[in-house]
Amino acid sequence: MSRAALPGLPLPASLPRAVMLPRWWGGLAAVAMGLVVIAAIYRPGILAPWRTGWMLEGRIGPDPVQYWLGWTYFSRAPWSWPPGLNPDWGMEIGSSIFYSDSIPLLAFAFKALRPLVEVSQYWGLWIYACGALQAFMAWRILGLFTADPLARLAGAALFLVQPLLLNRLGGHFALGGQFLLLIALYLCLTQASTARRVAAWAALVGASSLIHAYLLPMVAGLWATDALARALRADRRPAWLAAEALLVPGLGLAGLWLAGFFVLGDGLGGTWGGFGQMQLDLLAPFDPSVWGRFLPDMPHGDHLEAQDSYLGLGVLLLLAAGLLAFVARPGLRPGWPLLAGLGVFLALALTHRVSIGGWVVEVVALPDSLVSMADALRASVRFFWPVAYAAMIGAIAALVHALGGRRAGLVLAGLLAVQLVDLRPGVTRLHGFFGPAPATAALRLADPFWQKATARYERIRLAPTGMQARHWEEVAVLAATRGLPTDAVYLARLDPARVDALNASTKARLAYGRHEPGSLYVLGDEAALAAARRGMDPARDLLIKADGLWVLAPGWHSPGWQRPLVAVQAAAPVPEAEWDRW
């Protein structure tokens, strides 16, 4: 796949053998550059698979705790069908490795290797791999337009020293797999034999389905543009296109099924707003927020990712220079299917509720049914990523076409210097989040009661439970560390009907004193505490406050009671008709 599919581009048709060797060394240099940048920002301490303290001590936020919990429970669970099921984390409210954002592709691999090697965390390896692959794929793409080593490496560095990527590697680790988008763009810009192209797209879409749900539609959308472009060509092969139309989406769906995507019956819209609530603000690419040092802060939206789309001053100047170069010397002619696909991505990022400096205007009134279907893409601002990367590729190609490889390389090196200086505040801030950390983080629940209780009970219940319910993190980490199932969760999506049913049933159990055998109850609010007091038998049960948490330990005072060696039969469920009384 070495020839570009875009006409009118200055490509090196053939190079002497003496020139080919440095091109391979350039690829190694790009990988090394990616590793060095990641090490400088996120530190080498995250690499060791046995070191989990940097994830659990709290500086990065709750998301890494979620990933670790999902993997820890999944690694211990027996293989199931589909293999992504993760029943001990969430229990009745359902769970799979997909919804803990624990990168199912790696979770499957390391679980299969667990009889040989036990890995406590693989996110450090993933973060380093993302940096190396991002730089390498950018280097490969730019090689479609120039053989100049400086232009390729300096341009690749602009894709690496990019807030769109570094933001995500600073907490949303799976979303750092943006090299998948570069691979997809590379496939869109190159030609190859039909069989190789179909195999490449099938593998890429399948892998994306096992990495993150937001990356999958972006990659699949780019595949659709490439398939459409090939379908419109005079030398199209209808039989291959038909087979591809079945194989590529089929592998994507198969990956989702394997990872446990379909175990969730409802709740795909999430809990922090639906489609149109977390959109791309038109000023966001120019708003430096905590990242830039030169441009002034700009008004922005009020959602969680409103300030995560800054491109950096070096890249903004690159886009401007690329536009001027194209106007001065037109030559870049991308196919309209790719442009149309990127337009769809941009429309999804902006949504029907366009935001300008935080001021939102509903441009199109969409039916509620359509908005509900699109709610699964609630953080639609992320669809800006492939648009931004495609614009950077186009700008560099235009510069090369107008200036030649050597002069374009000097310009890109200067823009890289501007990018590095501009992003210093953001990089320094991110560097601080990954400071020296202990190999393992101390449990927040350190009262001696917890050691005794977790030895006596089979599971820990949180009442009420739900998405990041009160005390979820300390309870879930304790349960995972002690090897107990729990319904204290933080997952990408939850079925609200299941959560409501579980909370109602648990509250009724507490109020009636019909405690589930083998369950320890952590009481998260006054209503649960009142229900526990009403239903407990002081001669048999213990109500205690440990580390600031109210806990009900049913049967604590029963003589000779201890944690069963085998699972006990659960108590009869409380009739649903009686739930509302409590």
Side-chain angles (χ1 to χ4, degrees):
M1 299 182 184
S2 60
R3 293 301 301 246
L6 299 176
L9 296 178
L11 301 180
S14 63
L15 295 171
R17 184 175 181 84
V19 179
M20 291 298 291
L21 183 60
R23 292 182 63 189
W24 285 107
W25 283 109
L28 294 177
V31 169
M33 179 175 63
L35 296 176
V36 168
V37 169
I38 295 299
I41 298 176
Y42 304 98
R43 302 178 189 265
I46 68 174
L47 263 176
W50 59 87
R51 296 186 66 90
T52 59
W54 64 275
M55 298 180 66
L56 303 182
E57 66 173 357
R59 276 185 292 184
I60 316 176
D63 288 345
V65 180
Q66 173 198 30
Y67 313 150
W68 177 84
L69 285 166
W71 160 245
T72 299
Y73 276 105
F74 181 70
S75 66
R76 299 170 181 166
W79 286 104
S80 59
W81 201 247
L85 296 182
N86 201 10
D88 284 348
W89 196 35
M91 299 191 286
E92 293 89 346
I93 55 180
S95 178
S96 70
I97 195 65
F98 185 91
Y99 289 110
S100 64
D101 285 346
S102 300
I103 315 177
L105 184 66
L106 297 184
F108 288 155
F110 284 108
K111 183 172 181 175
L113 292 172
R114 199 161 186 263
L116 301 176
V117 58
E118 187 168 345
V119 172
S120 298
Q121 64 87 10
Y122 43 77
W123 288 272
L125 296 170
W126 169 255
I127 290 172
Y128 272 77
C130 287
L133 290 171
Q134 181 88 351
F136 178 75
M137 283 312 306
W139 178 84
R140 285 294 302 271
I141 290 173
L142 299 185
L144 299 174
F145 312 120
T146 178
D148 184 80
L150 178 60
R152 294 181 72 177
L153 286 175
L158 288 170
F159 286 82
L160 177 64
V161 186
Q162 174 52 244
L164 297 182
L165 174 69
L166 300 180
N167 260 326
R168 298 303 161 176
L169 291 179
H172 293 164
F173 302 146
L175 287 171
Q178 294 171 23
F179 63 88
L180 297 170
L181 305 179
L182 298 185
I183 296 175
L185 288 168
Y186 178 77
L187 292 175
C188 288
L189 297 175
T190 55
Q191 297 177 0
S193 66
T194 302
R196 288 182 61 190
R197 179 170 292 275
V198 171
W201 276 119
L204 183 61
V205 170
S208 300
S209 70
L210 293 172
I211 292 177
H212 200 278
Y214 274 95
L215 295 173
L216 174 60
M218 299 180 202
V219 170
L222 289 171
W223 161 74
T225 68
D226 183 58
L228 177 59
R230 285 180 283 118
L232 296 174
R233 281 167 39 185
D235 60 343
R236 60 185 176 272
R237 299 185 178 184
W240 275 101
L241 288 170
E244 182 179 356
L246 294 175
L247 177 62
V248 174
L251 280 179
L253 291 173
L256 291 175
W257 181 80
L258 289 170
F261 174 82
F262 297 106
V263 302
L264 197 63
D266 194 11
L268 289 176
T271 56
W272 292 301
F275 184 72
Q277 303 297 322
M278 299 178 68
Q279 73 278 69
L280 173 71
D281 192 286
L282 290 175
L283 300 182
F286 311 95
D287 180 14
S289 62
V290 299
W291 275 92
R293 66 184 305 175
F294 295 126
L295 297 180
D297 287 343
M298 299 182 181
H300 54 80
D302 59 356
H303 60 78
L304 295 175
E305 299 185 17
Q307 296 176 279
D308 289 354
S309 299
Y310 181 56
L311 296 175
L313 182 57
V315 169
L316 291 175
L317 293 175
L318 165 66
L319 298 180
L323 180 60
L324 291 175
F326 176 76
V327 171
R329 190 182 178 191
L332 183 65
R333 298 193 298 273
W336 71 261
L338 178 57
L339 290 178
L342 295 172
V344 171
F345 288 149
L346 184 58
L348 286 172
L350 295 173
T351 78
H352 61 298
R353 302 177 70 252
V354 177
S355 175
I356 307 173
W359 179 56
V360 178
V361 179
E362 187 175 40
V363 176
V364 179
L366 297 180
D368 291 342
S369 58
L370 185 58
V371 174
S372 178
M373 291 176 59
D375 279 350
L377 305 176
R378 65 182 185 200
S380 58
V381 60
R382 299 169 183 174
F383 283 88
F384 175 62
W385 302 345
V387 178
Y389 287 139
M392 291 171 64
I393 294 169
I396 293 174
L399 280 177
V400 169
H401 185 60
L403 303 178
R406 175 176 293 184
R407 284 181 291 180
L410 295 174
V411 172
L412 291 172
L415 293 175
L416 175 60
V418 173
Q419 183 85 346
L420 290 171
V421 175
D422 180 50
L423 297 185
R424 185 172 180 179
V427 169
T428 301
R429 176 176 177 270
L430 190 58
H431 186 65
F433 291 155
F434 289 81
T440 58
L443 287 172
R444 300 181 192 178
L445 302 180
D447 190 292
F449 164 79
W450 300 109
Q451 181 73 29
K452 298 176 183 177
T454 53
R456 294 185 62 176
Y457 290 86
E458 290 187 313
R459 68 192 69 83
I460 303 179
R461 295 277 188 188
L462 181 59
T465 189
M467 182 70 77
Q468 289 184 290
R470 188 183 182 195
H471 307 313
W472 80 270
E473 186 172 330
E474 51 264 54
V475 170
V477 172
L478 171 70
T481 303
R482 302 298 187 204
L484 302 181
T486 185
D487 58 8
V489 295
Y490 167 30
L491 296 165
R493 301 290 191 273
L494 282 175
D495 187 329
R498 290 186 189 178
V499 174
D500 292 344
L502 176 58
N503 283 332
S505 179
T506 299
K507 190 175 180 181
R509 282 187 182 279
L510 292 172
Y512 278 96
R514 298 182 182 178
H515 307 123
E516 181 183 26
S519 287
L520 181 73
Y521 295 89
V522 176
L523 311 172
D525 62 16
E526 292 297 327
L529 179 59
R533 283 174 170 156
R534 181 182 181 89
M536 68 176 292
D537 179 357
R540 179 193 64 197
D541 307 325
L542 173 67
L543 182 65
I544 187 174
K545 198 169 189 180
D547 290 315
L549 279 64
W550 280 105
V551 188
L552 176 68
W556 185 270
H557 299 303
S558 299
W561 192 94
Q562 60 183 359
R563 180 177 174 180
L565 297 178
V566 296
V568 298
Q569 184 176 359
V574 176
E576 291 187 20
E578 300 181 13
W579 288 357
D580 291 339
R581 294 180 55 190
W582 308 105

